Amino acid sequence: LAMSRQSFMPPPPATAKDNSLNVDEVARLWEEIQLRHISVINLSIYLSNTIDQELIKLLKRALHEVALPQLAQIETMLKKEGFTVPTRPVDRLQQGPPGQVSKINLGDEEVLGVLLSAAQIAIAYHVRAYCVSIRDDIKNLFRDFTSTEIEEYQKLMQLTTQRHTLDNPPVVTSKHG
């Protein structure tokens, strides 16, 4: 009856190509690209805020071997699917004298603490993105990101352990019982 009266409007034909990204995959890629932008900005700031050569080496590796390559992979994936990607953050390196960012000095221990937290958050986001992805290429992308992030986290933990910069819980000074 509805068809004869033309009261039924069929949905428009699908315009998505076969095996295209689903909404959750797009959302996770977009979220990851924003997080990589923040990572690039923060790593650049920390690089200009320390004079410790071992920490500088770790920060440079995180920027040039992790954050920027991951950003490029995400951009390529989104472009391949027809999305316009946001512009990359401005290069902040060499903007000010080493050890000074807007007159706020960060200690190396503070930088290490922030990096530890950031790595933990990145791992959690990568795992979540992996879990909601359906396409194999997207799953592989996030699996690789997770592996790389865990490797860098282990290097970071090794440095913080050597320097005794982890915040340990207070020691029990009395026993009730």
Side-chain angles (χ1 to χ4, degrees):
L1 180 64
M3 291 292 271
S4 65
R5 293 185 181 179
Q6 297 179 348
S7 60
F8 173 71
M9 299 295 285
T15 56
K17 60 184 178 183
D18 288 339
N19 199 29
S20 62
L21 296 173
N22 68 39
V23 172
D24 227 357
E25 290 169 333
V26 172
R28 296 299 73 82
L29 285 167
W30 198 257
E31 185 175 64
E32 289 274 350
I33 204 168
Q34 291 174 330
L35 293 171
R36 288 297 104 190
H37 283 180
I38 292 169
S39 296
V40 168
I41 292 166
N42 287 339
L43 289 168
S44 299
I45 290 170
Y46 302 147
L47 266 168
S48 66
N49 200 37
T50 187
I51 55 173
D52 180 308
Q53 292 306 307
E54 195 170 359
L55 186 53
I56 288 172
K57 180 179 163 188
L58 188 136
L59 290 166
K60 282 184 177 179
R61 186 177 60 243
L63 179 62
H64 297 293
E65 296 178 25
V66 179
L68 290 173
Q70 286 181 357
L71 181 58
Q73 286 179 287
I74 296 167
E75 288 171 340
T76 300
M77 180 70 64
L78 287 170
K79 287 177 184 176
K80 187 175 89 176
E81 294 295 323
F83 291 94
T84 302
V85 297
T87 57
R88 285 189 173 195
V90 175
D91 185 8
R92 287 169 169 76
L93 293 176
Q94 312 304 324
Q95 284 188 349
Q100 185 174 359
V101 176
S102 300
K103 299 181 183 179
I104 297 173
N105 292 326
L106 296 175
D108 292 341
E109 288 182 13
E110 293 169 311
V111 172
L112 285 169
V114 170
L115 290 175
L116 275 175
S117 296
Q120 292 166 352
I121 292 167
I123 290 167
Y125 274 102
H126 298 329
V127 169
R128 185 179 85 182
Y130 175 84
C131 290
V132 301
S133 297
I134 295 172
R135 281 183 24 184
D136 287 338
D137 58 340
I138 304 297
K139 286 181 110 37
N140 292 339
L141 179 78
F142 290 124
R143 185 197 63 225
D144 293 345
F145 284 7
T146 304
S147 297
T148 302
E149 208 75 49
I150 289 171
E151 289 171 17
E152 292 303 312
Y153 182 75
Q154 290 170 334
K155 293 172 188 171
L156 188 58
M157 283 298 297
Q158 184 178 18
L159 181 61
T160 57
T161 303
Q162 290 171 352
R163 295 191 177 182
H164 307 289
T165 58
L166 293 175
D167 289 331
N168 295 319
V171 177
V172 176
T173 57
S174 66
K175 294 182 181 180
H176 298 285

